[in-house]
Amino acid sequence: MAYRLTPLPTAADEPAQAYACRLARRINLPLRFFCTDIGIPRQEVIKGSTDAVHRIADYGGADPAPLLAATVQHTEGRLYTLNGQDLVRDSLRRTRLRGCVICMKEQLTHGAVWDVSIRTSWCLASVYTCPIHEVGLVDIGTGKDAMFHEWSLLMEDFLSSDAEGLPPPERAPGKFELYLMERAMHGPPESGGEVNDLPMHVAMRVMPFIGQTLLHGTNAHEPVTDDEIIKACDTGFRALVARGGLEQSLAEIDAGAGPRMSQQGPQHRLGKHLFSFLTNAVSQEAYQPVLDRVRTFVLDTIPLDRGTMLLGRPVDTCRVHSVATLTAVTGMHPTTLRRYLRENGFLKSDAQNGDMPMPAAAVEAWAASLTEVVGQKAVEELLGCSRSHFNTLLKARLIQPNYASRSSRKYRFGRTGLEALLARLLEAATPTPATPEGFVGLDRIGKRANASIAAVLKAVIAGEMSGVTCRPGNRRLDGLEFSVQEAKALTRGEPLPGLPANELLAYWKMDYAVLRDLIGAGYLPTQEARHPIHKGMIKVIPYEAIEQFERTYVLAWELAESLNLTRAELRRWLADRHVPRAFDPSSIDAAIYRRSDLPL
């Protein structure tokens, strides 16, 4: 229709609702009367319907395109759109009007009161600063739907009040504020990065919660002042712009939550401030992409029991476990379970991080083997071994308890692991009806081969020993028979380069004190060597030293036997010939003589 007034130019970034208020103020009418006068439903103007915007622009002689681009349009329920960007009611200021005092004064200086306009960016709940003058927005008026109702009247009342003379706070706009203004006017900018993938209203809600938690950790609280909100939004925006920024931010929050304690869930690790916001957002479809990413992060890093409700959905698969969640699976006591997990390398912890989560696949595979556990007596019966053999197998780690106590009688073993050990040994054995020559059972192989039973069994498992048979009717350890010669060859190491002290004492028929003095005085040197059977290090007297000593000295009993004399006769024989002892009795009191002193 043809306009009835002089054309009124639109201001930059001005919504159609504010333009209608200025048209009404120019003829000194409230908005509701103005809409009735020109035949446009006031509610349609408030909603920003396309038809109402075109009729208002036509009436004021303005181009409807910039008005439509800057107008917040109500679609349904709590949903709105702005230049193609999705918003909700909480994204807008509907009960409190804020604006830049300097912008309004400049417009009033160059025109009438109806030339003072509102900017659409002032309507966004996350914008607190004027980017033109770098000052904070101040409260203009309050009331229900004040942004859309009688804007010019509220502005005029403010400019004529004492509050108009107060200087606004100086403040540079935050990066997230500038991003929102650019996105509202021209669409998502390239600087938005991954934030562009979020609906605009979701980004406006997520940023302050992520940023506040990054700033204050799990003790974060709702920001109060405009400066705190801007700082939190900028922190969250910088963190989420990069690809994968949400997961990285959650990882930083989790790491800053301190050592992991037993039964700590996502609310403890991510903080009540952030997690409560995410939990309350589960009913809103627009938040689902964010919630899915958070849910994936939580399942990958925070142990949860199956069936636990996580962001609106139950946990059906555990990806990581803690001692507490694994206790629910195994039924074992947490202290015992913790000890066994640490011994087997599943559980790793330190003072800074506490217990690190364990991969669920690995620990659940282990837990599956615990469906049936047996004690020591049952192990002895299943394997067919004695108690001494049981202790040997346990010490050699051929059998390992699933969980232990201070008493070996309270050890518990998984039947699956025991049966696997027995199967490996029986697979290497050849069934025979009778004992082959040179073969003995497990109870005798240690003594006959002078070897460790554990070493023989390990050689059989490793395939290094083929001389193994078993009785067809006895498929246990006590039915196995081993080749003595092969066991000797496999288990024995290099022979000792000398004799240990105890064997030399028996060979020379000498008192221990005499041998000790000879070694201490340096007449018999010693050296360390590895024992061929038990592989421990022992001290021996080299054979060369023994032979050298025997060529130089002779013991009294040996001399008596060579002369066919009794000891009394030998003493008289030595006295008649004035043969002295080889060593001073005050240092080495022994009947040992130098061969060079004997008149033979």
Side-chain angles (χ1 to χ4, degrees):
M1 68 179 185
Y3 53 83
R4 290 178 284 171
L5 300 175
T6 303
L8 182 66
T10 59
D13 191 28
E14 181 181 22
Q17 295 89 344
Y19 185 66
C21 288
R22 292 203 294 128
L23 289 174
R25 184 68 187 88
R26 189 167 64 168
I27 58 176
N28 201 24
L29 284 177
L31 179 63
R32 61 182 182 277
F33 294 155
F34 173 74
C35 292
T36 302
D37 183 41
I38 64 176
I40 303 175
R42 185 187 65 163
Q43 197 62 28
E44 293 299 312
V45 176
I46 294 174
K47 289 184 177 181
S49 67
T50 303
D51 181 64
V53 173
H54 276 277
R55 295 177 65 182
I56 288 294
D58 185 45
Y59 187 86
D63 183 5
L67 279 179
L68 278 172
T71 297
V72 177
Q73 295 180 295
H74 179 256
T75 55
E76 61 176 352
R78 297 173 55 86
L79 304 180
Y80 297 80
T81 60
L82 171 60
N83 196 21
Q85 302 300 313
D86 295 332
L87 299 173
V88 296
R89 184 169 299 173
D90 294 339
S91 308
L92 304 170
R93 294 193 176 101
R94 296 183 57 87
T95 59
R96 184 177 62 163
L97 187 62
R98 304 186 81 175
C100 174
V101 177
I102 300 179
C103 287
M104 291 188 293
K105 287 183 177 180
E106 287 180 351
Q107 291 174 334
L108 186 61
T109 303
H110 297 90
V113 67
W114 52 79
D115 290 321
V116 181
S117 65
I118 181 178
R119 290 180 177 272
T120 302
S121 59
W122 299 351
C123 307
L124 300 178
S126 296
V127 175
Y128 299 87
T129 310
C130 172
I132 300 175
H133 301 102
E134 295 190 349
V135 295
L137 303 182
V138 298
D139 288 339
I140 304 301
T142 58
K144 183 179 180 181
D145 291 341
M147 182 185 72
F148 303 128
H149 294 176
E150 314 301 346
W151 156 256
S152 294
L153 295 178
L154 288 173
M155 176 274 307
E156 186 176 358
D157 291 342
F158 173 77
L159 292 177
S160 62
S161 67
D162 295 337
E164 176 269 342
L166 299 176
E170 295 183 1
R171 180 173 58 231
K175 291 184 179 298
F176 187 61
E177 290 180 292
L178 295 175
Y179 165 79
L180 288 179
M181 297 178 200
E182 178 70 16
R183 182 169 177 174
M185 294 176 63
H186 307 293
E190 293 184 3
S191 61
E194 201 171 69
V195 180
N196 291 340
D197 298 337
L198 303 177
M200 188 167 169
H201 68 93
V202 174
M204 294 170 67
R205 288 288 291 162
V206 169
M207 296 306 141
F209 282 93
I210 291 289
Q212 189 74 350
T213 308
L214 286 171
L215 289 171
H216 301 283
T218 54
N219 295 323
H221 53 81
E222 192 76 25
V224 178
T225 65
D226 293 351
D227 289 334
E228 291 179 351
I229 298 174
I230 293 172
K231 184 177 181 181
C233 288
D234 286 353
T235 303
F237 180 66
R238 285 193 297 269
L240 269 59
V241 162
R243 186 63 56 183
L246 178 59
E247 289 76 11
Q248 181 62 32
S249 300
L250 295 175
E252 291 181 13
I253 295 170
D254 181 33
R260 297 174 184 271
M261 307 298 290
S262 177
Q263 299 181 349
Q264 278 192 340
Q267 180 168 322
H268 298 87
R269 304 305 304 175
L270 302 181
K272 184 177 181 180
H273 178 67
L274 174 59
F275 192 72
S276 297
F277 159 71
L278 296 172
T279 303
N280 294 333
V282 296
S283 60
Q284 303 181 42
E285 186 66 27
Y287 286 83
Q288 290 308 312
V290 175
L291 297 178
D292 289 342
R293 292 172 63 181
V294 174
R295 179 183 173 88
T296 300
F297 173 84
V298 171
L299 291 176
D300 288 341
T301 57
I302 302 176
L304 295 174
D305 290 321
R306 286 187 179 88
T308 303
M309 293 300 296
L310 175 61
L311 300 179
R313 287 184 288 168
V315 176
D316 53 359
T317 303
C318 293
R319 300 182 188 178
V320 291
H321 270 303
S322 66
V323 175
T325 58
L326 197 58
T327 298
V329 176
T330 62
M332 295 166 57
H333 192 277
T335 303
T336 305
L337 178 61
R338 175 184 295 275
R339 184 188 308 119
Y340 180 74
L341 290 171
R342 183 172 286 116
E343 289 176 354
N344 287 267
F346 290 117
L347 182 61
K348 299 179 181 179
S349 59
D350 53 49
Q352 181 178 358
N353 299 310
D355 293 341
M356 300 301 294
M358 300 170 287
V363 294
E364 286 187 1
W366 164 79
S369 66
L370 301 183
T371 53
E372 185 177 359
V373 294
V374 295
Q376 177 180 340
K377 291 185 177 179
V379 173
E380 295 172 4
E381 178 64 24
L382 177 65
L383 297 182
C385 62
S386 64
R387 180 167 297 179
S388 62
H389 291 159
F390 168 84
N391 292 330
T392 300
L393 297 176
L394 184 64
K395 186 176 181 180
R397 301 182 70 85
L398 288 171
I399 58 174
Q400 298 185 46
N402 291 328
Y403 51 100
S405 67
R406 294 182 179 180
S407 173
S408 62
R409 295 184 179 181
K410 296 182 180 180
Y411 283 160
R412 293 295 180 267
F413 300 83
R415 179 182 289 272
T416 304
L418 299 173
E419 293 175 348
L421 170 65
L422 196 57
R424 289 197 299 269
L425 292 171
L426 292 174
E427 286 176 1
T430 303
T432 56
T435 303
E437 185 177 356
F439 282 67
V440 295
L442 184 67
D443 56 338
R444 299 177 59 194
I445 187 63
K447 293 182 179 179
R448 290 288 302 275
N450 199 14
S452 167
I453 294 177
V456 173
L457 294 177
K458 287 181 179 179
V460 173
I461 294 174
E464 299 172 355
M465 183 173 177
S466 59
V468 186
T469 63
C470 67
R471 298 294 179 87
N474 187 355
R475 306 283 292 177
R476 304 190 308 174
L477 292 184
D478 54 4
L480 295 176
E481 295 170 331
F482 307 88
S483 170
V484 175
Q485 295 301 322
E486 190 173 351
K488 287 181 179 181
L490 282 174
T491 59
R492 285 192 177 182
E494 294 294 329
L496 291 173
L499 292 178
N502 59 334
E503 295 186 17
L504 187 58
L505 286 175
Y507 175 62
W508 277 351
K509 302 177 184 179
M510 181 183 292
D511 290 338
Y512 171 76
V514 175
L515 181 60
R516 180 195 61 197
D517 294 340
L518 289 172
I519 294 174
Y523 294 103
L524 291 174
T526 62
Q527 70 179 64
E528 285 194 346
R530 189 172 298 279
H531 197 280
I533 304 301
H534 59 68
K535 304 301 187 291
M537 299 300 293
I538 62 173
K539 287 186 177 182
V540 298
I541 296 94
Y543 289 120
E544 294 82 359
I546 296 174
E547 293 173 358
Q548 178 64 33
F549 188 88
E550 289 179 338
R551 286 195 297 268
T552 307
Y553 304 98
V554 61
L555 280 68
W557 66 267
E558 185 180 2
L559 180 59
E561 287 184 358
S562 64
L563 297 176
N564 197 21
L565 299 175
T566 64
R567 291 194 177 186
E569 293 173 343
L570 178 63
R571 284 195 294 271
R572 288 195 296 271
W573 187 85
L574 293 171
D576 293 341
R577 292 162 178 77
H578 306 288
V579 178
R581 289 188 177 185
F583 306 107
D584 184 2
S586 61
S587 58
I588 300 177
D589 188 11
I592 301 175
Y593 304 91
R594 293 183 184 274
R595 292 187 182 275
S596 59
D597 295 338
L598 297 176
L600 296 178

